[in-house]
Structures are given as C-alpha cells and as structure tokens.
Amino acid sequence: MNSLTKLLKNHTLKFAFVSALALSSCDQGFEEMNTNPYAFTDPVISSLFSNSLIKTAGDGDNNTLYANSKLSGCFVQYFSSLNPWQWTGDKYLYKQEYNKGLFETAYSSELKETAQIIDLVKDKPELSNYLAVARIWRVYILHRVTDMYGDIPYTQAGQGYIGAMYKPGYDSQSDIYPMMLKELEETALALDAAKTTFGNADFIYKGDVTKWKRFAYSLMLRLGMRLTKVDPALAETWVKKAIAGGVMQSNADIAKLDHTGGSANNWNVDAYLLQGGEGVPPSAQGKGYSKLSKTFIDYLKATKDPRLPFYATLWQGNADASKLPQTTAPEVQKGLPSGYDYTTIKTLIPNWTDNMQAEYSEINIHTIASLSTPTMFQSYAEVSLLLAEAALRGWSTDDVKTRYENAVRASMESETLYPGGMSISPATITTYLTANPFTGGSFEKQMEQIHNQFWVSMFMTNVEAYANWRRTGYPKLTPTNYTGNETGGTIPRRLRYPESEASLNTDAYNAAVQKQGPDLFTTRVWWDK
C-alpha cells in the first residue's frame, strides 16, 4: 500500500471514542471525578459521514487505481499498457491484489461509518435526514460491489461493526437490486427540508435535501436501467418512478466530492496514483506503464471531439503545463493498441523500440487527472443519456434527440468544474453536434449512438462505464487475446471474489458460488444475461 493511503488514514477527520469506566467502588463521585468532560463519549455522527464520503472517493489503490483504472478502465479500452503485471485488465490476467481491492475496501473501510450512523440514528425521528442520506450512501457503496462481483453480503453488510457478525451471508443479486431500489424510494420520500441535515459535513451537497432527493432518484434511474436485459418490465417500473420523483436537472446537481491539490490530505487519490510510478509519472518521460488506448483515441479523433485535449496529452505536457497547447493538439495524439507487451508489440510494429512509447498519448494530469480533480459519483450527463434511453424505450414523453444533445452539452460544459482552465465554447459544442448528429434510425442504432456517447462522457468514472458496457454492449469493442489470459480472449464479465472469502467465510462463499456459478471472470452477474 502506498504512502498516500497511510496519510489518508492518519489525517481524515479523526474521532475520539472513549469507554466509560465500569467502577464498582462505593466512593460517591469517584466515577464523575475520573470522567474527562472534554472527551467525546459518543461518535460525532456528522464526522462519521464526512469520513465515509472521503473513503469512498479514495482510500488508496484498492478502490481507485485498481478497480477503476487498471481493471475497469482497461476492460472498456480507455487505457492500455505494455506491462502485463501492472495493468492486468488490458490482458485479462488475474492478480489477487487488484481483483479483491474494491470488495475488501467497501466492507472494511467505506461501509464502516455508514453502518454506524444507521445504527445510531435509526430510532431518532429528529435525525431522519441523517438516516435517509446514510441509507442512500450505503446503496451507492454496495451497488458498485454487486455490479463488479455479483452475489455479495447485503442485508448483513456492515454488521461486524455493530453486531459482531464477521461471516455475513451472501444475498443473490436478484434480491439485492429490488432491496436497493426500495431503499432509494423510501429514503427519497423520507427526506425532509424542515429537519436537521449533515450541513457542511456533507461534502457533496452541504445538506441540501432537494439535491439529495434528486441524487436518490438519479441512482434509481441508473439501477433501474441496469435491469433492462434481465427484467424489462421491472426496469420500466423503476425508471418511471425515478423520472416521476425528479432526477438531476443540470450540472449543478452533480454528485461529486471536490479536492484541492495543495495538500496530500485533500488530493484526488485516483489522480495521485495515476501520476505515480504505476501510471504516467512525468519523470518517466513518456515511458510510464499507462497509456490511453488506441480504441479511445481513434474514436475521439474520428469524431473531432473537443474533449480530446481535456483527456489526453503527450508526456511533455504532463511534465510542463506550458507545453499543453502543443501536446494536447488532436493531430499529435496516438493511442496504444490494447493487449500487447514489450515483446509482442513488435509483431504489430516491426521496428518497435521502447523509446517509441513516448510518442503515445497519456491521460492529462493537469485536467481530468489533476490532484484537485473532483471525484464524480454521478453526473448530469449520465442521467441525461439514461433519460434519452428511457425516451427511446417509450418510458417517457421526452424527445430522444433533445436528451442526447443535453447530455453532450452537459459533459462538455462540465470541464469548467475541473482544474486546468480548459473550457469548450457553446459554438464548438454546436459544431460537434452538427458534425456528429443524432440520426435516429432503428432501436439498436439509437442505442449505439446514446451509449457510445455514454462511454466518451464517463471517462474516469470507469467502474460505471464498465457496468454500462456489459448491459448494452456499446461501444462495440474488439477483445484482446493475450497469452495466458483468464477468459479465452473475451472481455471479463465480473471480478472474482477475494481469496480470503473462500478461506474465512467459507460457507457463505460456497453457497454464493453454487447459486451464481463458478468464481471466474467469465461468469455473468444476474442482470448481465
């Protein structure tokens, strides 16, 4: 684990928990004399919530670089690498450290404070907003885990902290999804602007109940759409509920955690790790392990996408921001083909030398991978694209083309929320939409247009992009087939459970595998039929 992880654990919103002394002495007043009146005897609930938000945004490699970039980001061909054991997702190789990261961090770190909050406030009506928001956040944490692994502990998740339940049973994903959707419905209805909120301890919405309600319904829209392959009728029911409830209305509703670059305490952890030795350190002079994929760069160049300079640069621009106008120019961008290593790349490019790596595009560490880049939990662009699909399916009266164009504008306009000073003018956005119009056509043709745009817009929200690709099949990707890969040359459909689950939670693990299927990359989760 890297030094930033230790810094985060040492600095983040520290709490003091003190146990009262159980004294049997008959000396009257002795207990009071030995009680520190300045110590916290109960957890500070607002601080618990702040800590959960920060940990979910990034608690080190496990729930950022590993799950988001090295695996999901490679599966959907945002990233590629010539190093097979640092960026295993590009080759569909198994590395336990990467594979287990999101699962173990969610249960050991992200969920801890949320479980405590729910237990502390569940019987306090005056703190009903605390309970509602904590339940929404619990859904957010666990929906990513079930999407990546399938059947997981859900009803008993987090009970080790409050009930000493250290071997939780696994729920079937077919049961988890209705439970998550029901929780979002209940919590959205329970939110009450007249009651106490987390206020400034809520780093996402500052206690704005209206925005939390919109986020709950927007998550409901995301999860409802996830069911279109396995249960279209149930998907329609929940998508319609989400739309009726009221989803995000603009970029002002984005669910995000802002960061600042001045202190390690406040950095965007994913960006920090990408800038480090396993990503695109400027000191590597373009020969770092991470490159942007040819699939992604070629698509952005072919469509003349104005987001390309925001996403990509040559290494010289990462080393010296003053060179960005030249190193982000579209004509100099070149994506690295996926699925090759330092030797096999020579079968594709016979005159290859390792120095040629410097000619290939890297993620831009001054913009989308800056230390002060916000962590995006859910964007308005995503919501608008899902609303476009809902309209296409006849689940709303919206115009598909209008929703699609709103999403493109929202994605491009959101650049102003990031560091680096880049922005895309309204005229440039209009030019892009004119050159790449939503043309309509068959249902599948329109789905392809919507979800190709989803892929482009969701860069660096890679776990969600990977889930959406599994559901829709878009963009159409050509798998890699690296020697010794785990899937026989097909893109993985899930991650394997941590090996610790098989050894420490054996009965629950075995029952899950028996229900879901072999614990392999190729076993599909319930909604991915």
Side-chain angles (χ1 to χ4, degrees), residues 42-306:
D42 294 299
V44 181
I45 297 175
S46 58
S47 294
L48 290 173
F49 185 63
S50 299
N51 206 37
S52 181
L53 296 180
I54 292 170
K55 286 181 175 180
T56 305
D59 196 33
D61 309 69
N62 283 329
N63 66 343
T64 54
L65 183 67
Y66 295 164
N68 194 56
S69 298
K70 288 188 172 184
L71 296 176
S72 297
C74 288
F75 293 161
V76 296
Q77 296 179 14
Y78 290 140
F79 293 106
S80 58
S81 176
L82 295 178
N83 188 310
W85 290 111
Q86 285 290 344
W87 287 72
T88 58
D90 184 56
K91 315 290 191 290
Y92 316 150
L93 300 173
Y94 173 73
K95 189 173 185 177
Q96 181 186 180
E97 182 182 6
Y98 298 170
N99 182 89
K100 70 180 183 178
L102 182 62
F103 190 103
E104 291 191 348
T105 304
Y107 289 108
S108 67
S109 180
E110 296 178 17
L111 200 62
K112 180 178 180 180
E113 287 81 11
T114 306
Q116 289 178 281
I117 294 169
I118 292 171
D119 185 61
L120 288 166
V121 306
K122 62 186 178 184
D123 298 319
K124 297 180 179 180
E126 71 277 13
L127 298 180
S128 60
N129 283 334
Y130 283 29
L131 178 61
V133 169
R135 290 175 66 194
I136 293 168
W137 199 242
R138 183 180 190 273
V139 170
Y140 179 82
I141 290 169
L142 289 175
H143 97 270
R144 295 175 308 139
V145 183
T146 187
D147 287 344
M148 290 294 271
Y149 296 90
D151 295 357
I152 60 167
Y154 185 82
T155 55
Q156 296 178 359
Q159 297 302 303
Y161 303 110
I162 56 179
M165 185 178 292
Y166 303 122
K167 295 185 178 183
Y170 283 49
D171 297 279
S172 297
Q173 193 179 69
S174 58
D175 295 327
I176 293 170
Y177 257 78
M179 286 190 284
M180 291 193 298
L181 289 161
K182 186 173 183 289
E183 282 210 68
L184 292 173
E185 181 178 37
E186 290 174 354
T187 52
L189 293 172
L191 287 165
D192 185 347
K195 292 187 176 181
T196 302
T197 70
F198 285 116
N200 287 333
D202 166 11
F203 297 149
I204 298 179
Y205 291 129
K206 305 299 181 187
D208 190 321
V209 167
T210 298
K211 291 185 184 295
W212 272 104
K213 191 181 291 282
R214 288 175 181 167
F215 180 41
Y217 283 119
S218 297
L219 274 181
M220 185 186 294
L221 176 65
R222 175 190 281 183
L223 301 187
M225 276 298 183
R226 201 81 92 227
L227 307 180
T228 53
K229 284 168 69 174
V230 69
D231 193 336
L234 187 62
E236 179 179 359
T237 295
W238 285 105
V239 167
K240 286 181 173 179
K241 282 187 179 185
I243 294 170
V247 297
M248 293 180 188
Q249 302 297 305
S250 70
N251 280 346
D253 293 331
I254 290 173
K256 64 182 174 67
L257 180 67
D258 290 327
H259 299 277
T260 58
S263 166
N265 295 343
N266 300 316
W267 288 341
N268 180 301
V269 178
D270 208 2
Y272 168 80
L273 295 168
L274 279 168
Q275 292 185 29
E278 299 174 18
V280 290
S283 61
Q285 299 187 339
K287 292 184 282 186
Y289 297 148
S290 172
K291 293 292 180 177
L292 294 180
S293 170
K294 175 177 170 61
T295 307
F296 191 45
I297 294 295
D298 283 359
Y299 186 88
L300 295 171
K301 290 180 71 172
T303 56
K304 294 182 170 57
D305 196 306

Side-chain angles (χ1 to χ4, degrees), residues 274-276 280-287 315-320 362 365-366:
L274 279 168
Q275 292 185 29
V280 290
S283 61
Q285 299 187 339
K287 292 184 282 186
W315 76 267
Q316 293 90 341
N318 276 340
D320 180 355
E362 301 178 343
I365 68 172
H366 300 289

Side-chain angles (χ1 to χ4, degrees), residues 421-487:
M422 288 192 180
S423 63
I424 300 175
S425 70
T428 300
I429 298 173
T430 298
T431 298
Y432 173 82
L433 289 170
T434 300
N436 301 277
F438 187 83
T439 57
S442 67
F443 176 85
E444 283 304 324
K445 178 64 176 176
Q446 292 182 72
M447 281 286 287
E448 183 172 17
Q449 293 173 80
I450 291 168
H451 291 289
N452 281 354
Q453 190 59 231
F454 191 106
W455 176 60
V456 172
S457 300
M458 295 294 285
F459 181 46
M460 288 311 293
T461 313
N462 305 338
V463 168
E464 183 56 31
Y466 173 51
N468 196 66
W469 172 81
R470 285 178 286 160
R471 178 179 73 86
T472 66
Y474 298 115
K476 295 179 180 177
L477 301 172
T478 301
T480 67
N481 196 10
Y482 187 77
T483 300
N485 73 81
E486 296 281 323
T487 67

